[in-house]
Amino acid sequence: MKTLLHRLLNSSDELTSKILDELQPKDLFLLRDALVVLWQIHPSEEVKDKASLILKEKLEDDEIAIIEATFSVFKSVSEFLPWMGEYKDLQVANFQNFYSKKEHYEPLLVSSSLVDVYLDLGRKLYMMFDLVDEAKSCFEGIVKYDIKNAEAFYALGRLTEREQNHEEALRFYENCIDIDPNHIYALLQLGILNATVFMAYNEAIIYYNRVIELEPFMAETHVRLAQVHYQLKDIKRAKQFIEIALGINEFNEEALNLLGQIQFQWEGNIEKAIETFKKGLDNKVHGDSGLLLSSLGELYSNQLGDFEKARAFYEKSLKARPTQNKTLKNLIVILENNYQDYAAVSMCYEKYLTHVKNDLSVYVDYAKFLIKYMQDYEFAQMQLNEVFALDPEHEEAVKVKRQINQLLLLENDEIDDDHKNNMGKDKHASGDENNDDFDFNDFHGGGAAADN
């Protein structure tokens, strides 16, 4: 029976279809779960239909409904796409249906050729719907039953790297290349982590060189090697790799950006750097480059003192790539200090936060801005609430919240003082000097006694 089960779940579409035709009634009970999996997620419509016909003769309507609900996420991630509407909640709900039966069906999925369908589910949940926990559940389930699945380890590496868990990401990538030594993307990520997080530049060079051996025409790898040699202050070698990268793609923005930085910082040629950075401006094929426009903004602001041009380049940069934290903050400094354009500052924060909803530092900065320039404490508190939803103990947000409370108390005290003074005037006007209902001196001092 194990042999029949293995053949049913690991054969070609044609052979699987033939096995379904030849199944005996005595086989159906033991193969029920395998038939369910084939019916629900097999790529071949012919195989699905045959498995469905066999099962539906034996199942009650409520059993069919439960099965269809359990596997509904496999269909919904392909049928209800992000650009068609807001379907994230639907995917979450459907995945929960699968999760409730996950332990039952997962061993079958992972031990069969259908594991690729399961991998694809995890990738779509993450890449299209940003459902990190759900995707991670899929990949963890795969490596639980198959410790030789390189793609699942690579996917886990990407997820943990996103979560800033770099040590664990490193281990996942190493697991991946232990299984598949030629996994280009795991090798590339190992190079990136070593270069940018652990500052292990020589280790990074080893991984990058391995990628180039496997795929010599990947421009990104040459750019990464250029960046490593730049960090090692080997500018001549860095420029060699930049030239190779630009030979593969003459508009590679990271290569152009690094070249411009070298021309300005190491060669002192500002005009040449501007010329290089401007290759990212109004390109007919690639459009504007947020990275290169941001570098133009920095150069005009910090070196040439031309804040009008700097502002224009920063604004265009954020239009091209709205998620740049550093560019946003650089622009806000200019808007506050050189233009006092607080309406534009507020708009910058709002636009950025529509695209990046988990940048806690920007929510806090926005709250500080609202307090300092707008005295809008209520709206500032709303920004802090976004922070506390993700990190209830966020130190800087707690400080700003305390500041808001103190300002509100001070403001209320001022209102009370104004109210007291107005009531005093009313008492004099009415001749009712002995009306104790409005005698603020009992609570705030003042009068002759206070003067003495």
Side-chain angles (χ1 to χ4, degrees):
M1 183 54 64
K2 285 185 179 180
T3 302
L4 179 58
L5 176 64
H6 179 80
R7 290 174 58 217
L8 189 62
L9 292 174
N10 291 280
S11 298
S12 66
D13 294 355
E14 183 180 355
L15 183 54
T16 301
S17 181
K18 184 178 179 182
I19 294 170
L20 289 171
D21 288 336
E22 296 173 355
L23 284 181
Q24 300 300 311
K26 64 183 178 62
D27 300 328
L28 300 184
F29 177 76
L30 294 174
L31 294 175
R32 180 185 183 278
D33 289 342
L35 290 169
V36 166
V37 169
L38 292 176
W39 166 31
Q40 290 298 308
I41 69 171
H42 198 282
S44 166
E45 290 299 324
E46 181 181 353
V47 170
K48 282 183 178 180
D49 290 343
K50 286 187 177 182
S52 171
L53 286 172
I54 293 170
L55 281 169
K56 286 182 177 179
E57 290 181 359
K58 307 293 182 183
L59 298 176
E60 300 293 336
D61 289 346
D62 59 339
E63 291 179 291
I64 292 173
I66 290 171
I67 290 169
E68 290 178 336
T70 298
F71 288 90
S72 59
V73 68
F74 287 87
K75 298 175 184 176
S76 63
V77 292
S78 298
E79 294 177 0
F80 299 95
L81 302 172
W83 49 89
M84 296 168 59
E86 182 49 61
Y87 295 116
K88 188 170 182 176
D89 290 344
L90 171 68
Q91 310 304 348
V92 171
N94 286 349
F95 184 81
Q96 284 304 311
N97 289 333
F98 174 71
Y99 189 82
S100 66
K101 301 285 193 302
K102 182 173 178 281
E103 288 297 323
H104 183 76
Y105 289 106
E106 202 168 58
L108 275 178
L109 286 174
V110 176
S111 64
S112 74
S113 60
L114 297 175
V115 67
D116 289 338
V117 179
Y118 196 20
L119 267 168
D120 188 57
L121 173 65
R123 290 168 179 153
K124 286 177 178 175
L125 288 168
Y126 170 54
M127 297 177 70
M128 293 198 300
F129 296 97
D130 198 33
L131 295 174
V132 177
D133 291 339
E134 288 80 358
K136 196 172 185 179
S137 176
C138 296
F139 303 136
E140 287 176 341
I142 292 171
V143 299
K144 178 180 178 181
Y145 296 103
D146 181 8
I147 60 171
K148 295 296 184 181
N149 194 299
E151 291 301 326
F153 278 115
Y154 173 72
L156 285 169
R158 294 310 301 264
L159 292 182
T160 50
E161 187 177 348
R162 168 185 164 139
E163 295 168 349
Q164 305 296 310
N165 191 342
H166 298 122
E167 293 282 357
E168 188 173 8
L170 200 71
R171 287 194 294 274
F172 282 132
Y173 293 137
E174 288 170 347
N175 287 337
C176 178
I177 63 168
D178 283 343
I179 300 163
D180 179 4
N182 295 334
H183 196 290
I184 289 174
Y185 298 106
L187 289 165
L188 181 62
Q189 291 308 121
L190 280 167
I192 292 171
L193 278 177
N194 276 286
T196 61
V197 177
F198 302 107
M199 309 305 170
Y201 299 123
N202 291 326
E203 286 290 319
I205 288 172
I206 293 171
Y207 287 119
Y208 291 147
N209 284 336
R210 180 65 181 138
V211 174
I212 288 175
E213 289 175 12
L214 296 166
E215 180 49 79
F217 296 104
M218 185 185 292
E220 180 184 356
T221 318
H222 296 285
V223 175
R224 296 290 183 180
L225 271 166
Q227 291 168 342
V228 168
H229 287 291
Y230 180 82
Q231 292 297 327
L232 293 171
K233 297 183 171 52
D234 188 347
I235 305 306
K236 181 179 178 180
R237 191 78 171 124
K239 288 188 73 173
Q240 288 175 341
F241 282 109
I242 290 171
E243 288 172 6
I244 295 171
L246 293 175
I248 298 169
N249 176 8
E250 62 178 316
F251 295 109
N252 184 287
E253 63 174 3
E254 288 188 289
L256 289 170
N257 190 62
L258 185 56
L259 178 59
Q261 300 296 340
I262 289 173
Q263 290 166 338
F264 158 56
Q265 294 181 3
W266 287 85
E267 298 172 357
N269 194 334
I270 292 180
E271 290 184 3
K272 192 67 176 177
I274 290 173
E275 181 184 334
T276 298
F277 291 143
K278 281 189 173 179
K279 290 182 180 180
L281 181 66
D282 299 324
N283 185 281
K284 292 181 180 179
V285 176
H286 303 281
D288 287 331
S289 164
L291 177 63
L292 296 172
L293 286 166
S294 182
S295 291
L296 277 168
E298 284 191 45
L299 198 151
Y300 274 98
S301 174
N302 300 339
Q303 302 302 318
L304 302 176
D306 189 336
F307 299 110
E308 184 176 352
K309 283 190 176 180
R311 175 180 179 174
F313 285 127
Y314 281 141
E315 288 175 341
K316 199 162 189 176
S317 172
L318 287 168
K319 185 176 180 181
R321 189 192 293 178
T323 59
Q324 300 174 91
N325 177 292
K326 183 182 177 183
T327 304
L328 171 76
K329 292 182 177 180
N330 288 342
L331 174 58
I332 285 171
V333 168
I334 291 176
L335 293 174
E336 287 186 2
N337 296 343
N338 299 93
Y339 290 91
Q340 291 79 50
D341 191 342
Y342 305 132
V345 172
S346 185
M347 188 177 297
C348 285
Y349 278 122
E350 290 291 333
K351 285 183 178 178
Y352 178 83
L353 291 170
T354 60
H355 292 91
V356 185
K357 299 185 183 299
N358 60 349
D359 193 334
L360 305 190
S361 68
V362 172
Y363 281 113
V364 174
D365 287 346
Y366 191 16
K368 290 178 179 177
F369 164 79
L370 291 166
I371 295 168
K372 182 177 181 180
Y373 294 107
M374 315 297 282
Q375 289 79 52
D376 191 338
Y377 307 133
E378 182 178 354
F379 198 36
Q381 183 62 60
M382 289 174 63
Q383 309 312 312
L384 297 181
N385 288 341
E386 297 290 339
V387 178
F388 294 134
L390 296 171
D391 181 3
E393 306 299 325
H394 193 282
E395 185 176 350
E396 189 65 19
V398 170
K399 288 181 182 177
V400 178
K401 182 177 181 180
R402 191 179 302 121
Q403 181 185 2
I404 291 174
N405 291 337
Q406 291 170 347
L407 289 168
L408 288 172
L409 284 173
L410 184 62
E411 192 174 82
N412 288 334
D413 286 344
E414 290 173 355
I415 292 171
D416 289 344
D417 287 342
D418 290 341
H419 190 195
K420 174 192 71 175
N421 292 333
N422 289 334
M423 289 302 100
K425 291 176 183 178
D426 291 342
K427 287 199 297 179
H428 284 294
S430 64
D432 188 2
E433 301 288 346
N434 298 315
N435 187 341
D436 291 336
D437 291 340
F438 299 100
D439 192 354
F440 284 88
N441 290 337
D442 288 344
F443 305 99
H444 298 281
D451 292 338
N452 292 329

